[in-house]
Amino acid sequence: MSNNISTGITNTSAPLLKVTNLQVKLPVAAGTLNAVRGIDFEVQRGEMLCIVGESGCGKSMTSMALMGLLPQRANITASQLNFDGAELLSLTERQRSGLRGSRMAMIFQEPMTALNPAYTLGNQLCEVLRRHRKVSRQQAKERAIYLLGKVGISAAEERLDQYPHQLSGGLRQRIMIAMALMCEPDLIIADEPTTALDVTIQAQILRLLRDLQREFGTAIIFITHDLGVVARIADRVAVMYAGEIVETADTTTLFNAPQHPYTQGLINCIPTPGKTPPGSRLQAIPGVVPSLIGEVKGCAFRNRCSRAEERCTTAPALIQATQAHAVRCHFATSPVPSTAIPCEVLHESHQR
Amino acid sequence: MKATSVEPTPYALELCGLSKRFTLGGKMFSKKRALYAVSDVSLRVPRGQVMGLVGESGCGKSTLAKMLLGLTPPSEGDVLIQGKSITHSDQKTLARHVQPIFQDPYSSLNPRRRIGDIIALPLRLHTTLSSQERSQRVTAMLDLVGLPKRATQQYPGQLSGGQRQRVAIARALIMRPDLVICDEPTSALDVSVQAQILNLLLDLKEEFGLTYLFISHDLAVVEHLVDRLAVMYLGRIVEEGSREQIFAAPKHPYTQALLASALTPDPSLDIPDLGLGSVQPDPSRPPAGCAFHPRCPQSSPECRERRPSLPPVDLHGTGRVACHFA
Amino acid sequence: MPDSTTPLATRTSPRLRSPFASLSARLPRHRTLLLGITITGLLVLIALLAPWLAPHDPYAQSTANRMIPPVWHAAGSWEHMLGTDRLGRDYLSRLLYGARISLFIGLLAAFISGLIGTTLGVLAGYFGGRVDAVVSYILTTRLALPVVLVALALASLTGGSLIMVTLLLGLLLWDRFTVVARSATVQLRDAEYVQAAQALGASLPYILLREILPNIAPALIVVATLEVANAILLEATLSFLGMGIQPPLPSWGLMIAEGKAYMFFQPWVIAIPGAALFMLVLAINLLGDGLRDISAPGGRDE
């Protein structure tokens, strides 16, 4: 590690990343957007944590806050934002950029915009490594070729002289993965890395990412809206809604015994071959996601929730259902039947 | 089955050898090249059914949709709607029979028009109704798609994605077309809203006896919605059949890979290994022989040389597949 | 039952606003734009009210009162607040009437060039292909012409009447409209709402005028304000060079030209119309820049 942050003695049993009460506020025209409203989570070494949620739930804001890529005007606070012993919010910008690309890397949804069209791939790959490590051009090139082979790109040496526009979307995303791995980071944040890809390519990229994660022991925060992807790739899942984590559990528990009505709704509203009879009505979640501008009072899901009652106007605390399963819902303590609660099918409401 | 037959055809849509050729290059320094976005597509969609059309980006499904909507003329072949060729009918006549629902509700509505005006536009263009009658029809339509009356005064920017897609649906259906081309109508929407829109599409199909051509890449949605399914690869249909046939026993290796790559939310399953290799198709340089052979796990020398042909559409609507091994 | 009536948040969402409302909400916070609007508005008002505001007839000569300096000068008087010119005409009155000429020429020339440029640009952008090639050819030809020289040459042929100068400028200044309209239309041509209108069988004029034009209008309005300023300056240039507005009309450019002989001994003769010209052009440019800033598209939702 050639960066200048003393991380102390690396304790392998401590979580790699510990986030406590992370809040992100953004000033917008109509007031303050409370994009992330106090979330807690941990990422263990070598773990694949999926953050799943719909657009505007704060999942991308969370990842940008972790990477330190949010605009200056964003107000980020946290009781703890601890990355391997270093408190991220107390680092200088110079120290943070020393971490970026080196110990924490990011893979974006749209590889075409994340790669610079003016430079060759080899140039961009080697640049990442040479910015953070004292290596020769030749050593950097060798590592690039090695990693291109790892991400399944044939004729790696020739590829290094190509420009991003000469590649297909799937290949570009492989390049992005190779680039993220250049410095052997401890943590990769992948923000919807397969959303822009075709389904057959998506399956290949997911396999690749999972295999590399196991091989290199990298922890990955995988951000997506697609529950199908989550089910296949995640070790643990955090479900976000309206800037909060409403449920966290290991993948099997989350899909087999979800407790939060939103998680249940999400799982039930996608047609599943074999379960939903073709042509039947789907169990839609009524209404729309609430606006996060201004203060949200009580449970943010209550106006779409079929179980909502009086006490939901007060904010529910995070309830530990089991040791590894936490739910932010007033109903979580009472035993919930394993069959999902049907959501009434209603037209989209017009709450503001 | 030509326009001359007296009996009304049982098909809302028939495609006969439809092709679309684009010319690439031909500018100062590059040679001209022909690109077949769609080649030799023949398909029949029975009235009142949902025909799914799946394939990856660049397979020609959107070009096909544009030809059906009259937005771009076919290079070869013919499109019959309710048994009548659209080649010589003008856009206005065609518009009464076919309407689109586009993918992105953020770009499919003019941001500077009120919702009421957007939905009333078809009535203004095609009817002589008074403005009062128009606004009655608009209100009735809004009610059908589950939007409140006050939405007429709002602008698209004031609505959510799901609400906008309801507006787009209202605009498409207010003239009661026979055929609706749904081009990925839910892929820009959030999962929780997707189900609302799919339910609405199914309800309206029953209500108006519509025929849908449903273009999508989401196989779970396709399986839920369609009666028949056509799979496209690099401009050609490689397999077509009823939902049961295709989802139970896909015959073309590409269909098999597509179905395998659909990720159902089942944590006990692994990420599928499709065995397709990392080659991605380039529509402007389709391989010789079977277009799928560079990625196909079963390809043989024959596949490299001879293109397998798709059997012609038959009257019974049994499955068709274009593969040497099928 | 979902409780969908109680609002969760205490503030309303910005999505509630209509396009016009969100524009006008952004307006008061933009100071330079407000300044531009105020000064331009004031000058327009002055131009409109010139017959009532002017203390004298701007054309009335008086050999007895030649070259009276302005009131702040030792030899000045309140009778002629800004003094008189070499023919003894009241300078303030000429200045006020000159505002009419500048604004008339600026607005009309920008309108004519806007009409020509937008038509060419929208057609080129919408149809592409050959139409685009032809328009691009015309545009390149136009850009190859040095505006001032061509205007001078043509003005000397046609003579410098007010209408002629305006037409000339209108015919020469459409290039920016074409460039902006073309690129904006190219972006919108494939927008799904344009395709939706096509699929509904809407006529070509309907699509161009009702679907495309309103959406490229903000960009065109910005170009228009800048072209107004441009035309005003060009008119002053032509008049100064003696090929624009002909005497005795009180054009600001002409006033500067007429005063240039006295520049060293009576600098106010050119300073006053010069300052007026500067103020007007600056104000219009502030207005244009400000409009561009506030009409820039924000995010979709947030």
Side-chain angles (χ1 to χ4, degrees), chain A residues 4-327:
Chain A
N4 47 8
I5 303 144
S6 72
T7 53
I9 302 144
T10 306
N11 181 355
T12 39
S13 65
L16 176 68
L17 179 74
K18 187 166 170 57
V19 176
T20 319
N21 194 20
L22 172 67
Q23 300 193 12
V24 178
K25 295 188 167 84
L26 268 176
V28 290
T32 305
L33 176 75
N34 293 297
V36 180
R37 303 188 298 129
I39 61 170
D40 309 333
F41 65 93
E42 289 179 3
V43 183
Q44 308 297 331
R45 278 162 213 287
E47 181 188 43
M48 177 86 81
L49 172 74
C50 271
I51 299 182
V52 63
E54 300 177 287
S55 56
C57 74
K59 56 190 196 300
S60 287
M61 286 284 182
T62 305
S63 69
M64 299 299 259
L66 293 178
M67 289 298 288
L69 293 175
L70 281 175
Q72 280 286 311
R73 62 197 169 90
N75 177 10
I76 307 163
T77 54
S79 319
Q80 211 180 354
L81 201 64
N82 193 309
F83 176 72
D84 202 14
E87 197 51 47
L88 290 179
L89 288 183
S90 59
L91 298 182
T92 64
E93 178 49 38
R94 216 189 139 87
Q95 289 170 318
R96 296 241 17 207
S97 65
L99 283 181
R100 272 199 295 272
S102 152
R103 299 202 53 212
M104 41 198 323
M106 186 142 185
I107 302 172
F108 294 92
Q109 172 175 350
E110 197 29 88
M112 193 59 211
T113 52
L115 289 166
N116 189 332
Y119 294 99
T120 62
L121 300 172
N123 203 321
Q124 298 185 57
L125 282 165
C126 297
E127 167 65 21
V128 180
L129 189 59
R130 286 168 56 80
R131 195 187 306 144
H132 297 288
R133 305 273 190 280
K134 288 195 174 73
V135 294
S136 72
R137 213 171 286 272
Q138 189 55 36
Q139 282 170 308
K141 194 177 167 192
E142 275 162 20
R143 172 132 182 103
I145 291 171
Y146 165 76
L147 281 175
L148 286 189
K150 278 283 171 202
V151 298
I153 290 177
S154 53
E157 209 145 347
E158 292 157 38
R159 293 285 184 196
L160 290 182
D161 294 328
Q162 290 189 325
Y163 288 89
H165 69 90
Q166 292 171 295
L167 305 178
S168 65
L171 278 182
R172 270 185 233 130
Q173 202 56 291
R174 285 171 195 262
I175 299 278
M176 285 304 296
I177 294 172
M179 194 181 283
L181 289 170
M182 279 303 278
C183 296
E184 284 188 77
D186 301 302
L187 176 68
I188 293 180
I189 298 176
D191 191 353
E192 304 257 9
T194 59
T195 307
L197 303 175
D198 282 321
V199 280
T200 53
I201 312 294
Q202 162 169 292
Q204 293 175 328
I205 297 289
L206 290 178
R207 266 192 93 84
L208 176 71
L209 209 53
R210 207 263 322 268
D211 292 347
L212 290 173
Q213 180 225 2
R214 290 189 182 160
E215 185 176 340
F216 292 100
T218 318
I220 297 184
I221 299 179
F222 192 105
I223 289 167
T224 182
H225 69 280
D226 188 337
L227 283 173
V229 171
V230 174
R232 307 296 181 95
I233 199 169
D235 296 318
R236 226 151 41 79
V237 188
V239 181
M240 278 190 85
Y241 183 78
E244 287 180 313
I245 292 183
V246 294
E247 186 159 9
T248 41
D250 64 278
T251 312
T252 320
T253 313
L254 189 97
F255 281 92
N256 293 341
Q259 290 219 11
H260 197 284
Y262 177 63
T263 317
Q264 294 166 347
L266 269 189
I267 294 171
N268 287 337
C269 74
I270 43 178
T272 316
K275 276 192 204 153
T276 21
S280 65
R281 292 186 67 82
L282 296 167
Q283 297 182 359
I285 303 177
V288 292
V289 177
S291 160
L292 292 180
I293 293 173
E295 210 61 40
V296 174
K297 297 209 170 69
C299 170
F301 188 60
R302 70 173 192 276
N303 64 338
R304 303 177 76 186
C305 180
S306 57
R307 307 182 75 189
E309 54 182 47
E310 197 52 44
R311 59 176 163 158
C312 296
T313 51
T314 59
L318 201 64
I319 290 159
Q320 214 69 34
T322 64
Q323 203 196 346
H325 188 179
V327 190

Side-chain angles (χ1 to χ4, degrees), chain A residues 54-55 168 170 198 200 204 207 210 228 231-232 270-271 273 278-282 285-287 304 348 350 352, chain B residues 56-57 148 158 160 163 166 190-192 196 199 203 220 223-224 243 263-264 267 269-272 274 277 280 295:
Chain A
E54 300 177 287
S55 56
S168 65
D198 282 321
T200 53
Q204 293 175 328
R207 266 192 93 84
R210 207 263 322 268
R232 307 296 181 95
I270 43 178
S280 65
R281 292 186 67 82
L282 296 167
I285 303 177
R304 303 177 76 186
E348 229 171 301
H350 297 267
R352 290 286 176 197
Chain B
E56 294 174 293
S57 55
Q158 295 167 270
S160 71
Q163 291 169 329
R166 289 171 192 268
D190 275 324
V191 205
S192 71
Q196 298 172 358
N199 283 340
D203 290 347
E223 181 169 6
H224 182 76
R243 178 185 62 224
L263 304 176
T264 47
L269 297 176
D270 193 14
I271 307 166
L274 307 174
Q280 261 195 55
R295 301 174 74 193

Side-chain angles (χ1 to χ4, degrees), chain B residues 26-64:
Chain B
K27 289 269 165 65
M28 219 174 279
F29 300 111
S30 58
K31 260 188 165 170
K32 271 191 190 180
R33 240 166 356 117
L35 181 160
Y36 275 90
V38 173
S39 48
D40 197 19
V41 166
S42 297
L43 201 63
R44 276 189 184 139
V45 185
R47 193 172 296 139
Q49 288 207 354
V50 183
M51 169 65 91
L53 187 62
V54 298
E56 294 174 293
S57 55
C59 74
K61 51 192 201 298
S62 289
T63 310
L64 189 70

Side-chain angles (χ1 to χ4, degrees), chain C residues 25 32 44 56 58 72 94 103 133 232 247 253 257 260 269:
Chain C
T32 53
V44 168
H56 297 274
W72 58 84
R94 286 186 72 75
L103 283 168
I232 289 173
K260 66 176 186 280
V269 181

Side-chain angles (χ1 to χ4, degrees), chain B residues 148-219:
Chain B
K149 188 168 180 280
R150 67 187 144 91
T152 50
Q153 293 307 310
Q154 293 181 308
Y155 286 93
Q158 295 167 270
L159 303 183
S160 71
Q163 291 169 329
R164 289 179 202 214
Q165 201 59 303
R166 289 171 192 268
V167 173
I169 292 171
R171 172 179 60 190
L173 299 189
I174 198 161
M175 292 302 296
R176 309 285 143 86
D178 308 304
L179 176 68
V180 181
I181 313 284
C182 309
D183 192 352
E184 309 246 13
T186 60
S187 62
L189 302 177
D190 275 324
V191 205
S192 71
V193 178
Q194 167 177 293
Q196 298 172 358
I197 297 296
L198 292 178
N199 283 340
L200 178 66
L201 284 173
L202 282 171
D203 290 347
L204 293 170
K205 172 180 169 281
E206 290 303 310
E207 176 114 17
F208 295 141
L210 300 168
T211 308
Y212 288 153
L213 182 73
F214 192 89
I215 300 173
S216 181
H217 67 273
D218 186 332
L219 285 145

